[in-house]
Amino acid sequence: MSRYPVPELLAPAGTLDAVRAAVANGANAVYLGASMYNARDEGAQLSLDELAQACALAHARGARVYLTFNVLIKPEELGEALAYLGECVDRGIDAAIVQDLGVVRLIQQVYPQLEVHGSTQMTVHDAAGARVMQRLGVERVVLARENTLEDIRAIRDAVPELGLETFVHGALCIAYSGQCFMSGMISERSANRGSCAQSCRKDYTLTDTSSGATLDSGYLISAKDLAAHDHLEQLAELGIGCLKVEGRKKKPEYVATVTKAYRGWLDALARGERGLAPSIEEIEPLVQIFSRGNTGGMYGGREGREYITRTQPDNRGLPIGKVMGHEGADLIVETTHAVVIGDGLGFESPEPTSSATMGGTVQTVRHLWTRHGTHRQVVGVRLSSVRSHVPEGWRVVRTSDVTLLRQAQESFANVVVPERVGAMRLDVRVFGHSGGPLKTIWNSGEMEVSVRGDVPLSVASKRALDVPLLREQLGRLGGTAFKLGTVDVAGLSDGLFLPVSELNRIRQDAVAQLDEQLGWARQSDLAVRDARIAEVVDTIASSVSSPVVDTSFALRAIVCDLDTAREAAAGGATEIVLDPFLRHPTPPLARVHALREALAAAGVALRLRTPTIVRPAERRHLDKWLALDLPLLTGHVGLLAEFGGAGRDVIADYATNVFNQHTAQLLFELGASRLVASIELTTEELGQLTDPWRGRNFDVLVYGRTEGMTIEHCVLSAAFDREPTTCRDLCVQKHTNVSLTDPAGYTFAVATDSACRNRLLHSRPIDGSEYLPDLWAQGVRGYQMVFNVPGDPVRLLVRSYRTMLDSLAGNVLPELTATRRLLDGAFTRGHFARAV
């Protein structure tokens, strides 16, 4: 017998066929997205009718359905989003997976019966964050993919009542989910809005910025696919309640194959089998169906160089042999698996640094021999390019196994998709005698209508009205909200006739009357729901009604070293925010004390910026900084609640993803003194967000390079194949400033922080100077500038912004081009005018 509960197996579904594949192969639950407000905006959405079918199908087999409602939602979208969620609730979903903190609260107010699960995009990765989720009433949270087994143990011990879910198989984001802004900054396709452009799957060059030397090249931030089958027993023992397979955009055959494998391993755990690592034969179908190369993830710690694909970003398939020669246009291959017609084959250069590939579909096969498990065959392959020639010695990779695909399809072939889900039962009673009209009474629930015929009943000369005939004609209810139940003919005399056209007219009349009644009831229900939605969306705790007339403002300069802090203060910053964690090494605490005293003497405040990611083992190092008792700027919701709730002055950083007024209100309740609005909002949207407070207690980031990604993987240590976290000589001494350059020539500075994780900084600084008058008019009085790369003219830039703000405070329209001249055109307007 099992000593601990076996986790739920949660499978992805982007189509009804994928739902069929999941439930047929043993999924306990499926997660899917409908056509709005889910984090897969292309190719993985179900219509509302399909959603109803999916729920009926899953529930008939004892599985649950979780709706991905996991995007950040703008103020003007809240009403529509909640109404749409209601449509999904009506179709039968069991839970909603949510990213937006404010939306969690709204769902609980409008649909209190609906379970809410916290998306991995909430970036919950430690006990402090988990406590916030429990406090908010979230039933379950999907932990960050970067959490180790020890992290999970610490979270479970600290918050034992909170349900925990974790990914176990499929594609990995290289960045912490919810903390990836790179796609949005480059292309307006925000990862937090379901439109990720997959910037991580591009090839990059890693360069030493100081020397110009190339340190590495390839797909340097393209993670391999997760395959954590070796950790299932440990995850179950730690109390993980749900294991999640990624892949809502994958084909049903993928869902079937992966679900079947994990169902088998979990069933073995349920039988009490322990310490049984899956065999190579058991794992091969997972590699074959789709794989960029597999990794066990970070459950056992960082994998370093082996965590990324390096030479290609897409499905690789299963390596099975090599090309031995040619026979005319055909290839002679030796493989560990016999090739059959219909298989897909890829061919890869044997050069370790080469990414050269070609491939195609097998058209012909001639078997030569089999010896000691090796097959020699002559295969004809229709290559993707007619001019392609596969050299001898190239590796053979089977990219598609026609036999595996057929088996996967057969596994769910007999799972029938229910039709007309939600149709209401309609019972009919009929009455009549010869010479009189046919009378019908139609009942559906509490609704009843009566319809009389216009044509008299007559004695039948051929087929008389009987139950089969009446069911055939009265049951033609396709395209309506009804399905025929019983037909009661106790009040109908025998042997009577009525034209089919008259029966059809009676049916159509009855359905029209019932539709009208149903519409009244539906309109009434929707009116009640819409009124409730409007009430909760419009209800904000703030009672601020008058415009902000205060001319005082805060100009905060966020810096990562002490010299830059002094430069920013000399330029006119009213507050210095020190991020000592952004780069190795952190400065000595004694020098920070000295900086605080020097700034205080000049009338400038000092604030500490914490990392957004603080995994359990890192908290001890952070605590000595927190003991400085400085006011804080943090993108970590757990730290915000912990210290803001205890009375510390804490500003919520942009990493908290404040997109709407309800998220803002929630963070104020958790203890935030001020909020930094999301960097993905336009000027107009910022006004909508801050309007309930007339701009009070909000900051806007107006200058600097945002952190496009926060990555546990270190590209610098991987370049030198060094063990992660033990190679600080690389980033502290040898290569203190490195960058990644993409194929378009954009260069992103890479900061290796005090926890040895990488923070990718945007290629150009945001400059929002031209939007200052609009922000000022909205009542915003907090402005942030970020300086996190060497070489910025810090004092001059801060002085330019200080001059503009002083002019606005004096009711004078400032000259808004000074910063642009300093930047010589190398800037971006960010999202001030570009909506995501």
Side-chain angles (χ1 to χ4, degrees):
M1 294 295 292
S2 176
R3 291 181 290 108
Y4 36 77
V6 172
E8 174 184 273
L9 178 58
L10 178 58
T15 63
L16 274 175
D17 280 345
V19 178
R20 295 169 62 213
V23 299
N25 285 279
N28 301 113
V30 295
Y31 67 102
L32 45 77
S35 55
M36 299 174 71
Y37 301 108
N38 85 93
R40 289 289 185 274
D41 66 343
E42 297 172 0
Q45 300 173 330
L46 277 69
S47 68
L48 288 173
D49 287 343
E50 289 173 329
L51 177 61
Q53 291 175 294
C55 290
L57 173 61
H59 294 160
R61 290 180 170 249
R64 307 181 80 212
V65 175
Y66 305 149
L67 180 79
T68 54
F69 200 63
N70 53 343
V71 296
L72 298 178
I73 298 180
K74 299 177 181 180
E76 77 243 16
E77 298 170 338
L78 289 169
E80 178 188 62
L82 289 170
Y84 189 77
L85 177 60
E87 296 285 352
C88 298
V89 171
D90 292 344
R91 268 69 177 180
I93 63 170
D94 298 289
I97 304 171
V98 183
Q99 175 187 9
D100 195 304
L101 288 171
V103 172
V104 171
R105 174 75 59 81
L106 291 171
I107 291 173
Q108 291 166 339
Q109 292 174 303
V110 180
Y111 308 108
Q113 79 284 4
L114 183 65
E115 275 188 34
V116 177
H117 298 175
S119 168
T120 190
Q121 290 171 281
M122 285 185 171
T123 326
V124 175
H125 61 280
D126 69 343
R131 288 190 189 98
V132 173
M133 296 301 106
Q134 184 181 40
R135 176 175 169 181
L136 295 181
V138 170
E139 282 87 354
R140 176 193 295 181
V141 67
V142 188
L143 295 175
R145 294 175 176 91
E146 291 80 1
N147 278 129
T148 66
L149 293 172
E150 287 307 309
D151 292 343
I152 295 171
R153 188 185 305 278
I155 295 168
R156 164 58 64 223
D157 289 347
V159 195
E161 300 85 7
L162 179 65
L164 300 181
E165 180 179 313
T166 190
F167 281 92
V168 74
H169 195 91
L172 286 166
C173 293
I174 193 70
Y176 275 86
S177 289
Q179 302 305 313
C180 183
F181 304 98
M182 193 166 175
S183 173
M185 289 298 291
I186 293 172
S187 63
E188 296 95 59
R189 294 181 57 183
S190 168
N192 287 320
R193 295 274 288 167
S195 300
C196 180
Q198 294 195 313
S199 305
C200 55
R201 300 298 181 191
K202 296 179 181 179
D203 57 317
Y204 289 89
T205 300
L206 180 68
T207 305
D208 184 304
T209 307
S210 301
S211 67
T214 297
L215 305 179
D216 203 359
S217 62
Y219 296 92
L220 303 182
I221 54 174
S222 172
K224 291 181 178 178
D225 285 352
L226 176 64
H229 37 66
D230 290 345
H231 297 296
L232 299 185
E233 183 178 345
Q234 295 160 299
L235 291 169
E237 189 174 14
L238 287 172
I240 289 292
C242 179
L243 300 177
K244 186 172 190 176
V245 174
E246 184 279 337
R248 283 198 289 129
K249 297 186 82 169
K250 296 291 198 303
K251 294 179 179 180
E253 293 84 359
Y254 171 91
V255 176
T257 302
V258 177
T259 303
K260 178 182 178 182
Y262 280 89
R263 179 76 276 153
W265 294 323
L266 290 176
D267 286 348
L269 278 180
R271 292 192 297 268
E273 299 177 24
R274 298 290 179 265
L276 299 179
S279 65
I280 293 176
E281 290 74 19
E282 289 177 303
I283 295 169
E284 273 190 358
L286 304 184
V287 177
Q288 181 65 79
I289 200 69
F290 189 95
S291 173
R292 297 178 174 91
N294 283 345
T295 169
M298 296 193 181
Y299 290 118
R302 295 181 181 177
E303 286 196 355
R305 190 180 180 90
E306 296 306 310
Y307 191 70
I308 57 172
T309 64
R310 295 194 66 80
T311 58
Q312 51 77 37
D314 300 315
N315 180 35
R316 184 179 179 218
L318 183 70
I320 60 172
K322 67 178 180 178
V323 177
M324 305 302 295
H326 300 81
E327 188 178 282
D330 294 341
L331 302 174
I332 302 172
V333 299
E334 288 188 7
T335 62
T336 56
H337 297 66
V339 174
V340 300
I341 292 174
D343 281 352
L345 294 184
F347 305 97
E348 301 177 347
S349 169
E351 297 297 325
T353 58
S354 174
S355 59
T357 62
M358 62 184 76
T361 303
V362 176
Q363 304 295 309
T364 61
V365 175
R366 182 159 56 87
H367 190 81
L368 298 180
W369 50 254
T370 298
R371 298 172 186 163
H372 308 296
T374 298
H375 309 273
R376 177 175 276 236
Q377 297 174 292
V378 179
V379 297
V381 180
R382 180 184 296 165
L383 295 172
S384 53
S385 171
V386 295
R387 298 179 183 275
S388 296
H389 174 77
V390 183
E392 184 177 324
W394 274 40
R395 291 188 294 267
V396 179
V397 178
R398 189 170 61 192
T399 56
S400 176
D401 180 346
V402 68
T403 304
L404 178 63
L405 290 174
R406 184 173 61 251
Q407 291 171 346
Q409 292 160 359
E410 290 172 351
S411 73
F412 60 90
N414 294 326
V415 178
V416 178
V417 176
E419 296 182 3
R420 306 202 59 222
V421 173
M424 302 172 64
R425 173 173 168 151
L426 185 55
D427 297 319
V428 186
R429 288 177 289 157
V430 296
F431 307 86
H433 55 80
S434 180
L438 181 71
K439 179 181 178 182
T440 61
I441 299 175
W442 306 68
N443 292 93
S444 182
E446 297 180 356
M447 297 185 298
E448 180 177 293
V449 299
S450 176
V451 180
R452 299 173 71 90
D454 294 335
V455 178
L457 290 161
S458 60
V459 176
S461 60
K462 293 183 179 180
R463 186 177 180 185
L465 293 178
D466 56 11
V467 171
L469 176 60
L470 289 167
R471 290 195 66 84
E472 179 184 349
Q473 299 303 322
L474 302 183
R476 295 183 175 182
L477 298 168
T480 75
F482 306 97
K483 59 184 177 182
L484 188 62
T486 61
V487 176
D488 183 350
V489 296
L492 180 67
S493 298
D494 294 335
L496 298 177
F497 169 79
L498 195 68
V500 168
S501 59
E502 180 67 359
L503 289 174
N504 289 338
R505 187 197 65 78
I506 290 171
R507 183 194 69 243
Q508 292 165 0
D509 190 354
V511 169
Q513 292 185 52
L514 289 166
D515 273 340
E516 186 175 13
Q517 289 189 30
L518 188 62
W520 294 338
R522 177 65 173 162
Q523 287 175 14
S524 176
D525 291 343
L526 289 179
V528 171
R529 176 186 288 175
D530 289 345
R532 178 60 177 158
I533 289 171
E535 178 187 5
V536 300
V537 169
D538 292 342
T539 302
I540 294 293
S542 172
S543 59
V544 176
S545 58
S546 60
V548 173
V549 294
D550 187 6
T551 59
S552 63
F553 58 84
L555 179 58
R556 305 181 214 282
I558 303 171
V559 302
C560 57
D561 64 77
L562 307 185
D563 290 339
T564 306
R566 296 185 182 92
E567 283 290 295
T574 64
E575 183 174 88
I576 301 299
V577 184
L578 177 65
D579 183 353
F581 312 101
L582 181 66
R583 296 178 183 272
H584 278 318
T586 55
L589 286 173
R591 294 188 61 196
V592 176
H593 281 293
L595 174 67
R596 175 163 59 179
E597 293 173 1
L599 292 174
V604 179
L606 179 65
R607 185 179 295 269
L608 179 72
R609 186 184 194 226
T610 78
T612 297
I613 307 301
V614 185
R615 288 182 33 218
E618 298 159 9
R619 180 57 188 266
R620 180 183 299 178
H621 174 67
L622 178 62
D623 280 343
K624 67 179 183 180
W625 289 91
L626 295 172
L628 292 172
D629 202 30
L630 289 168
L632 303 177
L633 171 67
T634 185
H636 188 306
V637 173
L639 292 176
L640 163 64
E642 182 178 343
F643 289 91
R648 181 89 64 99
D649 176 4
V650 181
I651 300 177
D653 208 348
Y654 66 81
T656 57
N657 288 322
V658 180
F659 238 66
N660 59 67
Q661 65 272 32
H662 288 275
T663 301
Q665 178 174 291
L666 182 58
L667 294 185
F668 283 136
E669 291 176 10
L670 289 176
S673 58
R674 302 184 65 84
L675 307 177
V676 184
S678 169
I679 57 173
E680 295 190 316
L681 295 175
T682 66
T683 306
E684 181 180 355
E685 291 162 352
L686 287 167
Q688 295 169 0
L689 165 66
T690 64
D691 184 64
W693 297 270
R694 299 297 187 265
R696 288 179 174 88
N697 300 324
F698 280 88
D699 280 14
V700 174
L701 192 152
V702 291
Y703 176 83
R705 290 170 177 81
T706 52
E707 294 176 15
M709 292 186 185
T710 301
I711 302 177
E712 198 71 28
H713 173 73
C714 177
V715 295
L716 186 56
S717 68
F720 291 88
D721 200 12
R722 298 280 295 276
E723 184 178 346
T725 75
T726 64
C727 53
R728 297 186 178 184
D729 58 303
L730 290 175
C731 56
V732 174
Q733 300 171 8
K734 299 175 182 176
H735 305 287
T736 55
N737 289 297
V738 298
S739 60
L740 288 173
T741 303
D742 72 9
Y746 289 100
T747 296
F748 306 88
V750 180
T752 303
D753 71 14
S754 60
C756 295
R757 62 179 58 93
N758 287 171
R759 302 193 213 173
L760 267 61
L761 311 178
H762 194 57
S763 57
R764 291 185 175 186
I766 295 171
D767 179 39
S769 55
E770 67 183 276
Y771 305 100
L772 286 180
D774 291 334
L775 296 171
W776 187 273
Q778 291 169 6
V780 174
R781 295 294 183 268
Y783 302 90
Q784 291 192 356
M785 304 180 71
V786 180
F787 301 99
N788 45 24
V789 296
D792 272 346
V794 176
R795 185 184 301 206
L796 294 176
L797 285 166
V798 174
R799 175 53 59 192
S800 293
Y801 268 89
R802 178 61 188 264
T803 299
M804 287 185 281
L805 291 172
D806 283 338
S807 295
L808 289 168
N811 203 28
V812 175
L813 184 65
E815 195 272 311
L816 301 174
T817 61
T819 55
R820 304 287 166 87
R821 291 195 296 271
L822 289 170
L823 297 170
D824 195 26
F827 67 91
T828 173
R829 291 176 173 85
H831 290 289
F832 285 111
R834 295 183 302 144
V836 296

